[in-house]
Amino acid sequence: MADSSKIYFHGGAGIVTGSNFLLDADTIKILIDCGLTQGRHTAEDVNWQKFPYDPASIPALVVTHAHIDHIGRIPKLVREGFRGRIISTEATKALAEPLLLDSMELLAHDARKHGKELLYTTEDVAHAMTLWEGVTYHMPQDMGGGVTLELLNSGHILGSAMAKFTREGKEIIFTGDLGGGNSPLLSPTDPIAGVQYLVMESVYGDRVRGNDANRREMLEDTIEDTAARDGTLLIPAFSTERTQDLLFEIRDLMIEKRVPSMPVYVDSPLASKITEAYLKYPQYFAEPVRSRIEAGEHIFSFPELRFVEDPQESSKVAALPGPKIVLAGSGMSNGGRVHTYHQRVLPDEKSTVLIVGYQAAGSLGRRLIEGDREVRVMGQEVQVHCHIEANYGYSAHMDGEQLLEFVNKAAPSIKEVFVVMGEPASSAFLVQRIRDYLSLKAVAPQAGESIAIDF
């Protein structure tokens, strides 16, 4: 069967977001992820384009995790004729529905603003969920055509997985996003071995974050410093994983009296739903956290915490004097309720905006990190006088050194590495390091490219 299979890089090649790969194993076609392309806008125009394959011809879609850049076009896929199996972990399935419905609202706003048709509807989401199967890690799935699927823990968010496909003793793994072991809630990424082909992420392929072990102390210092100035600590945070990680840490810091007691607002109805979903799947937490839950501890509950449900409350909370902590969506400050707070916090020299995750090129979060002193928020120019800080210790991604070591552990069996889901410079840098340090064949495919493999 030499070179009988092909990988088509339809999304997530040459860009971080929009993950969408097609494994054509001759006797079976399998999609891996079907995500939204994001950047300067909530969703880019490319998301409205037709798929480069016939959705009705695909019998299966494997989902690595529930972030919208990996699931955001699944309802559109269904709308255009897909009727196959959708397979992920149980936790990913549980997280996907509220995330898709939330994304639908933002996409509808974009569509109205730019005169485009709706990308998908609630009916499309409901239809997708009827096709969706939740399975556990390490449970073999017969995909047909002699191909077996096994989901491995990728350590990125709750229920995130690497998709390992096996046929006739040959293996290919699509990593999805790989966690760097920074979450206080999750177990580390499963090691891999015996794989011939690796399709891997490269978000931080060209950088090293430094000592992530100091992340809790850095968070403590930021909270204390902002409180001492009577300011607001605004954390634009993704509703999934980052918000839960930070709530867990802030709760512990306040219980241990490491930081002053002050109101903590989570202004994201989606984050509230996701937090509830997390608690329904304790089996996906790291063992120490599971033990605390089994002992009766409510790991996301503390007296200072308040969830903001009504959007009209956002302005009232933003106007409250400090000190206070606000976690609000979206994580890259592209839209959502965080903009209400930006208008108040950015001009305030007593306050702090804390960046805790990847910021896409062109996003408001990226511009703040890069030092812009005037930004446009909700149609108005806003001066930036607040403190801008970054704490990447809670990053849900491996950095460049971790990615290289991840490949190194599987190097003896690897024939080729395909580096994807990164900005071009990041992917190219990781490709070169894999070639130079590990003497392996590695490439960064272009969007729309297909490559033959022996699988």
Side-chain angles (χ1 to χ4, degrees):
M1 281 192 184
D3 293 345
S4 63
S5 300
K6 280 188 175 182
I7 307 171
Y8 292 82
F9 299 88
H10 291 306
I15 189 172
V16 174
T17 60
S19 177
N20 188 214
F21 309 104
L22 175 62
L23 174 61
D24 186 345
D26 189 35
T27 55
I28 185 75
K29 292 180 180 179
I30 305 169
L31 279 177
I32 297 88
D33 289 340
C34 190
L36 204 69
T37 299
Q38 300 166 301
R40 181 179 295 273
H41 304 289
T42 302
E44 300 297 319
D45 289 343
V46 67
N47 294 293
W48 274 263
Q49 295 177 4
K50 279 197 165 292
F51 292 101
Y53 44 79
D54 177 11
S57 71
I58 309 294
L61 163 65
V62 177
V63 178
T64 61
H65 65 284
H67 276 150
I68 212 70
D69 61 323
H70 292 255
I71 65 169
R73 291 217 298 169
I74 292 176
K76 174 179 166 63
L77 189 76
V78 171
R79 188 173 193 169
E80 295 187 8
F82 177 84
R83 296 297 181 267
R85 303 168 68 190
I86 303 176
I87 303 172
S88 74
T89 64
E90 307 140 303
T92 293
K93 179 184 177 184
L95 297 174
E97 187 169 14
L99 284 163
L100 287 170
L101 291 172
D102 179 78
S103 179
M104 183 188 70
E105 299 288 337
L106 296 173
L107 290 167
H109 175 76
D110 258 21
R112 288 191 296 269
K113 184 177 178 181
H114 297 103
K116 294 183 286 195
E117 66 177 14
L118 294 176
L119 194 67
Y120 61 85
T121 65
T122 53
E123 288 78 14
D124 298 320
V125 175
H127 193 174
M129 299 316 297
T130 67
L131 304 173
W132 209 305
E133 306 170 24
V135 303
T136 60
Y137 291 136
H138 309 296
M139 178 188 292
Q141 299 290 313
D142 182 2
M143 303 301 293
V147 177
T148 300
L149 164 70
E150 182 183 355
L151 298 181
L152 311 176
N153 177 25
S154 73
H156 176 60
I157 66 171
L158 195 79
S160 62
M162 296 178 276
K164 181 175 81 171
F165 298 99
T166 304
R167 181 165 69 171
E168 296 181 1
K170 296 173 182 175
E171 296 180 359
I172 177 171
I173 288 180
F174 293 79
T175 67
D177 289 341
L178 295 166
N182 298 331
S183 170
L185 300 174
L186 304 180
S187 299
T189 305
D190 282 343
I192 62 170
V195 60
Q196 283 74 51
Y197 298 99
L198 191 59
V199 182
M200 69 177 297
E201 69 122 310
S202 58
V203 171
Y204 291 127
D206 61 347
R207 69 201 81 172
V208 179
R209 285 192 304 271
N211 189 359
D212 289 342
N214 292 332
R215 62 185 180 273
R216 193 170 186 260
E217 288 73 18
M218 291 172 63
L219 177 62
E220 178 183 340
D221 290 346
T222 301
I223 294 172
E224 287 182 321
D225 291 347
T226 307
R229 295 191 298 266
D230 281 331
T232 295
L233 172 57
L234 175 61
I235 309 177
F238 295 105
S239 299
T240 308
E241 194 60 46
R242 202 63 46 81
T243 292
Q244 290 74 36
D245 284 345
L246 290 167
L247 282 180
F248 183 80
E249 295 282 60
I250 292 168
R251 175 183 184 271
D252 277 359
L253 288 170
M254 288 192 176
I255 287 173
E256 296 167 11
K257 301 193 181 304
R258 299 278 298 273
V259 299
S261 175
M262 69 189 80
V264 178
Y265 297 96
V266 175
D267 195 343
S268 166
L270 176 61
S272 178
K273 293 175 185 175
I274 296 299
T275 303
E276 290 176 10
Y278 262 55
L279 293 172
K280 293 177 182 176
Y281 292 91
Q283 66 268 34
Y284 288 93
F285 288 122
E287 195 282 326
V289 180
R290 285 200 308 272
S291 296
R292 290 171 64 170
I293 294 171
E294 289 165 3
E297 187 173 343
H298 299 281
I299 61 170
F300 299 128
S301 178
F302 53 106
E304 294 87 352
L305 179 61
R306 297 156 175 79
F307 285 94
V308 181
E309 299 296 336
D310 189 335
Q312 294 180 344
E313 285 185 61
S314 300
S315 296
K316 295 178 182 178
V317 172
L320 291 173
K324 62 181 183 292
I325 300 171
V326 178
L327 290 86
S330 66
M332 297 186 201
S333 296
N334 275 339
R337 297 192 184 184
V338 74
H339 279 182
T340 300
Y341 296 95
H342 275 316
Q343 288 186 316
R344 286 269 186 174
V345 168
L346 291 177
D348 180 16
E349 60 186 18
K350 297 185 297 182
S351 294
T352 304
V353 172
L354 177 62
I355 304 295
V356 291
Y358 174 77
Q359 306 295 305
S363 66
L364 176 55
R366 180 73 160 258
R367 290 165 59 201
L368 292 173
I369 281 293
E370 291 176 347
D372 282 16
R373 306 312 296 173
E374 183 176 276
V375 295
R376 194 167 185 81
V377 181
M378 298 173 70
Q380 296 181 346
E381 295 300 324
V382 178
Q383 298 294 317
V384 180
H385 297 297
C386 71
H387 299 251
I388 305 294
E389 297 185 15
N391 184 344
Y392 296 120
Y394 291 97
S395 172
H397 292 269
M398 289 185 179
D399 67 11
E401 291 298 323
Q402 291 173 310
L403 289 168
L404 189 66
E405 182 57 24
F406 177 79
V407 179
N408 182 44
K409 288 179 179 177
S413 62
I414 288 179
K415 288 186 176 181
E416 191 164 6
V417 181
F418 306 104
V419 177
V420 294
M421 293 179 287
E423 292 179 10
S426 178
S427 296
F429 187 83
L430 183 59
V431 163
Q432 197 60 50
R433 295 198 82 204
I434 291 171
R435 292 172 179 172
D436 291 346
Y437 288 88
L438 306 181
S439 300
L440 294 174
K441 185 178 180 182
V443 295
Q446 299 299 306
E449 187 174 354
S450 64
I451 299 177
I453 61 172
D454 179 15
F455 177 78

